[in-house]
Amino acid sequence: CPTPSSLRTGNGTRICAQLYADDSPYYEQCCGGAALVVPPNSDVPYMPLGWGASVSSLVVATRCELTVWARPGKKGKSRRFTA
């Protein structure tokens, strides 16, 4: 997995979080498969098509916070993630 302080796009733009579709019990094999980039100051009440209930690992950048909800539309229980 990338380190929280190294989260950037290919052109060097800072991103707040990166979510991954694949996971593994072995750390070196985590953060695999398709990746979903979360830019700073994003407010997305619904996951993009194909991503609902499929995130298995994530990395949150330093000085960022990611809040996720159990149900679409920011409903149900929530959980916050930081670096």
Side-chain angles (χ1 to χ4, degrees):
C1 295
T3 62
S5 61
S6 71
L7 284 181
R8 301 209 178 267
T9 62
N11 67 6
T13 304
R14 184 175 180 271
I15 60 175
C16 243
Q18 196 153 313
L19 290 64
Y20 298 91
D22 295 344
D23 192 13
S24 171
Y26 303 104
Y27 182 77
E28 63 275 358
Q29 295 174 10
C30 287
C31 302
L36 178 63
V37 172
V38 180
N41 302 314
S42 295
D43 184 11
V44 183
Y46 299 94
M47 291 294 284
L49 188 62
W51 279 94
S54 67
V55 174
S56 62
S57 49
L58 59 91
V59 177
V60 179
T62 54
R63 297 189 321 261
C64 280
E65 182 177 276
L66 176 70
T67 303
V68 297
W69 286 266
R71 297 185 319 189
K74 297 182 179 180
K75 296 186 177 168
K77 292 184 178 186
S78 67
R79 181 157 180 196
R80 295 175 192 255
F81 296 91
T82 60

